[in-house]
Amino acid sequence: VAGLAHSDGSADGASTLARLALRAAGEAAASGTRVPVCRIAAGPVPLPVEAPDAGAEAGSSLAARFQRLSLLHRMSDLLFSERPFPEALTEACHVALALVGARSVAVRFSADLDAPDDYRHGDGDFAGAEALAEEDEAIRAALDERRLVRLPGRGRWWTAAPLLRVTPQAAVVGGAVAFGLEAPPADPAALDEVLVEAARLLRNARLIRGALHQRKIFEETFEQSGDAILITDLKARTLMWNRSAQELFQWTADEMRGRDARVLVREGGLGEWRRLTARLRRAGHLRGVETSCRRKDGVEVPVEITGAILRDDDGVPFGGVLSYRDVTKRREVERMRDDFVSMVVHEVRTPLTSIGGFAQLLDEDWDAADPAVRARQLRIIRDEASRLSELVTNFLSLQRLETGAAPPVPEDVDVPALLARVAGLFDGHPSKPLFAARTAPGAERLRADPEQVYRLLVNLAGNAVKYSPPGGTVTLSAEPDGDAVLLSVADSGPGVAKADLARLFEKFFRAGDEVARRTPGTGLGLAICKDIAEAHGGRIWAESGPGRGAVFKVRLPKSGPARR
C-alpha cells in the first residue's frame, strides 16, 4: 500500500495518513488478511490540486475507505486464485459480508431464477422462508431493471446489483448479488460503491473461469480431433497445430508455429491454394474440398479440407481455421469398389454368357449334335458353374473371416501330414506340377485350425501351380522360427514385380503383368489367406523379383490363436 500526503509546512497530514495506514494494517492482520507493507517517506513533492483535510472526521473516512479497499483486494485475490471456484467463491462471499456489514449474501450466476443459488449464506432472521422470498424479490428487481436496487423487508433491508457485462452489441446480464442488512446503511452512496465493485469482481471472475473452462474444452477437443487442424493468422502463418496434424503431415507443433501454412501445398498447387483462399475469404467457409497436400518428406497425401474465417466480437477477421481429413482409406475403398464392379462384370458375366449360350445350343440342337460336341459343351457349362460357385464361396468365406463369424478352432496339427495332404490335392493336375514338401526339425507340430490352415496352403499352392510353367516345381516347407512355425510356398513362375508386392493381399487386386492378365482369378484368394493368418495371430508376406519365382511365407504362433 503506498500513501502520499502533503501539508503546508507541517507534517501533520503525513503523520495522520501514516497512523491510518498502520491502523488499517493492524485490523487486516487481526482479521486474517494479508498484512500490507507500509513505508513512510518524506521529501519535497509537487503540491496536490486540493490539500486533504487532516481532521479527525477525515481520518475516520480514510480508515474506512482503506479498510474497504483492503477487503476488495482480498476478494479479488480469492476469486482469481487457482483454487476451485466453489471454494474461492465461498471465502470471497464471507469477505463480502464483512465488507458490506451484512448478515446474508446470495450470488446467482444465472438469469434463471428457478435454478438453485450458486452460493448463499445467511443466519438467524436471514435464513427463514420470509427472508428468502424478500431476497428473491431483490434479485429479480436487479435482474429486470439492470441496476442497483434497495428494498425494505420486515425487520430487514436488502440491496442487490446485477452482474452486467457490456459488449459492443448489448449489455448481458450474467446473474446478480444480493445482501441482507439489519438496517438501512448510514452512507448509501458508499454502500453502492462497494456493491458495484463487488459485483464487478464476481462478474469478471465468473467470465474468466468460464473462459478458462471453455479454453480447456477447446484445447482438449482440438488435440483429440481425428482430423488435422491448424489455425492461422491472416497472413497464413500457423498459430496452432494439433496432434493429428503432426501425425498426418510429420511437422511437429514447434516446427509449424509461425511457419507459412503454404508449406503443405503440393508441388504445382499454389494456383489452387490462391483460389481456395479467395473462396474462403469471400464465403467465410469451405466445405468438403478434396485435393492433395504435401507431407514433410515430400509425399503427397489425399485430403478433404474444411475451413472457416475466424472473427472477433466486432466481426473483424483475424485468422482462419483449416481442417484436413485424410481420405486415403476412403479413396482405397472407392478403388476397391470400382475393382469389385469390374470384377463382377468380368468374372460373373463371362461364365453366365458361356452357360447361357451353350445351354441354348444344346436346347436347340440336342438331337443333331455330335455326342462329343455335346459332351464338350456340357463340360464348359459345368466348369463355368464351378467358377461361379467358387466366387460365391470366396465371398462368403471372406465375409465370415472379416466379421469374426468364423473364428479359428485350434487343434494339434501334424505339419508334415498337412503339407502332404496339400501336395496330394494336385495329383493329376493338367499342368503336371512337381511338388516337394520339407519339414525342418522343430516345426513338426502346430496349434491351429487345421481346416483354415489347409485352405490357406491350398490357395497358395493353387496360385503357385497357376503361375508356374507346365511341369514346374512347387516347394512346400516348414521350419521353426522362435515361438512360431514358418510355412512357405515357393513356385517357379515369372515372379512378382516389386511395385505389386505391397498390394498382393488386397481384395480384388490383380498384378498388372501379362502373365497375371492371362491367368483367371478373382483377386480374393490371397485376401482370404491374409485374414486366416491374422486370425491365428500370425502374418503373411511375399518375397519375389521378376524372373525368379515367388515365395509366400506365413508365420503362425505354435501356441495357437489368442482368444477373442
Side-chain angles (χ1 to χ4, degrees):
V1 177
L4 172 66
H6 190 284
S7 64
D8 294 326
S10 73
D12 200 36
S15 299
T16 301
L17 181 58
R19 287 196 304 274
L20 294 174
L22 291 173
R23 174 183 166 189
E27 292 173 354
S31 64
T33 58
R34 190 173 60 188
V35 179
V37 177
C38 300
R39 301 177 188 272
I40 304 175
V45 294
L47 186 67
V49 175
E50 182 179 349
D53 182 359
E57 186 176 346
S60 176
S61 175
L62 283 172
R65 182 169 180 77
F66 188 87
Q67 180 70 3
R68 287 198 299 270
L69 290 174
S70 296
L71 291 174
L72 284 169
H73 181 69
R74 177 63 177 161
M75 275 191 70
S76 178
D77 277 351
L78 289 167
L79 289 172
F80 297 102
S81 66
E82 295 183 358
R83 66 178 64 188
F85 189 63
E87 177 186 330
L89 179 63
T90 299
E91 293 193 32
C93 284
H94 281 272
V95 173
L97 285 172
L99 179 64
V100 177
R103 291 282 304 280
S104 73
V105 59
V107 180
R108 297 185 187 177
F109 289 112
S110 171
D112 183 3
L113 297 182
D114 294 329
D117 297 338
D118 287 300
Y119 181 75
R120 186 186 190 280
H121 173 79
D123 54 17
D125 291 341
F126 291 84
E130 187 178 59
L132 291 175
E134 293 172 355
E135 178 183 82
D136 188 67
E137 183 181 357
I139 290 175
R140 285 179 182 273
L143 292 171
D144 292 343
E145 300 175 22
R146 298 189 176 190
R147 63 176 182 84
L148 295 174
V149 297
R150 305 188 190 97
L151 291 176
R154 300 186 63 177
R156 293 168 290 269
W157 196 85
W158 302 92
T159 183
L163 308 183
L164 286 175
R165 179 170 65 93
V166 180
T167 69
Q169 291 76 27
V172 181
V173 179
V177 56
F179 291 94
L181 294 86
E182 292 180 326
D187 188 351
L191 178 61
D192 288 350
E193 181 182 344
V194 168
L195 198 59
V196 167
E197 285 300 312
R200 182 181 62 83
L201 288 174
L202 290 166
R203 175 204 65 196
N204 290 343
R206 183 66 170 187
L207 287 175
I208 291 174
R209 297 280 182 153
L212 291 175
H213 182 65
Q214 290 179 353
R215 178 178 177 178
K216 182 65 175 176
I217 293 174
F218 165 75
E219 289 176 347
E220 288 296 321
T221 304
F222 181 78
E223 279 301 317
Q224 298 301 325
S225 172
D227 292 340
I229 302 176
L230 65 151
I231 296 175
T232 70
D233 62 15
L234 293 177
K235 294 184 178 180
R237 291 174 299 203
T238 305
L239 303 176
M240 297 183 69
W241 179 261
N242 74 345
R243 183 169 53 195
S244 293
Q246 176 174 324
E247 293 171 356
L248 179 59
F249 297 118
Q250 302 178 339
W251 297 90
T252 67
D254 289 338
E255 289 174 325
M256 280 301 294
R257 191 172 294 110
R259 187 183 293 267
D260 196 316
R262 282 170 286 198
V263 71
L264 304 178
V265 175
R266 60 184 173 83
E267 188 173 352
L270 281 177
E272 179 187 39
W273 168 273
R274 294 189 187 98
R275 289 192 297 272
L276 289 177
T277 301
R279 176 177 163 189
L280 175 61
R281 290 180 175 175
R282 183 174 60 253
H285 60 82
L286 289 175
R287 295 288 185 274
V289 177
E290 289 202 17
T291 184
S292 295
C293 286
R294 183 172 53 188
R295 299 189 319 196
K296 184 179 180 180
D297 60 5
V299 174
E300 291 186 8
V301 57
V303 294
E304 179 184 273
I305 302 178
T306 298
I309 291 293
L310 299 175
R311 304 177 186 276
D312 60 20
D313 289 341
D314 296 323
V316 178
F318 65 87
V321 56
L322 295 171
S323 172
Y324 296 82
R325 176 166 296 176
D326 186 355
V327 294
T328 303
K329 290 184 178 179
R330 188 174 76 193
R331 288 193 177 179
E332 180 64 18
V333 169
E334 291 172 353
R335 184 193 61 77
M336 291 174 61
R337 181 194 62 198
D338 293 341
D339 290 347
F340 172 73
V341 171
S342 299
M343 186 275 300
V344 167
V345 170
H346 176 73
E347 298 294 335
V348 175
R349 186 172 64 183
T350 300
L352 282 178
T353 301
S354 299
I355 291 171
F358 285 112
Q360 184 177 358
L361 286 175
L362 290 171
D363 182 55
E364 294 175 352
D365 199 24
W366 176 269
D367 294 330
D370 183 270
V373 173
R374 287 202 306 263
R376 184 176 65 84
Q377 291 174 340
L378 287 172
R379 186 169 58 252
I380 292 173
I381 291 174
R382 182 193 62 197
D383 291 344
E384 295 303 309
S386 295
R387 283 182 60 190
L388 284 176
S389 177
E390 181 185 3
L391 181 63
V392 172
T393 299
N394 283 339
F395 271 133
L396 294 177
S397 298
L398 196 59
Q399 183 187 37
R400 289 199 303 270
L401 288 168
E402 289 183 340
T403 59
V409 181
E411 300 177 13
D412 288 330
V413 177
D414 184 331
V415 175
L418 176 65
L419 298 184
R421 179 185 173 194
V422 173
L425 182 67
F426 294 90
D427 286 346
H429 192 277
S431 66
K432 301 185 182 338
L434 298 176
F435 269 81
R438 297 194 300 266
T439 302
E444 299 91 345
R445 310 299 298 178
L446 179 66
R447 184 80 178 166
D449 187 314
E451 289 306 314
Q452 288 192 11
V453 176
Y454 173 72
R455 183 171 187 188
L456 183 154
L457 292 174
V458 166
N459 281 347
L460 295 180
N463 270 1
V465 169
K466 283 194 297 184
Y467 288 98
S468 293
T473 300
V474 176
T475 303
L476 308 178
S477 62
E479 57 185 280
D481 185 14
D483 59 352
V485 172
L486 188 63
L487 303 174
S488 301
V489 178
D491 62 47
S492 52
V496 182
K498 184 178 181 181
D500 292 333
L501 281 174
R503 298 189 58 195
L504 281 178
F505 301 96
E506 295 178 9
K507 287 181 286 188
F508 312 122
F509 176 76
R510 302 294 308 282
D513 58 87
E514 183 63 28
V515 176
R517 285 194 292 270
R518 293 198 313 264
T519 306
T522 62
L524 292 177
L526 291 180
I528 291 174
C529 293
K530 177 176 180 287
D531 282 342
I532 291 174
E534 291 179 349
H536 282 76
R539 65 188 186 94
I540 185 172
W541 69 97
E543 297 174 356
S544 181
R548 61 182 180 87
V551 182
F552 287 82
K553 297 184 177 182
V554 185
R555 188 181 190 276
L556 300 178
K558 290 181 180 179
S559 58
R563 292 186 178 181
R564 295 188 177 184

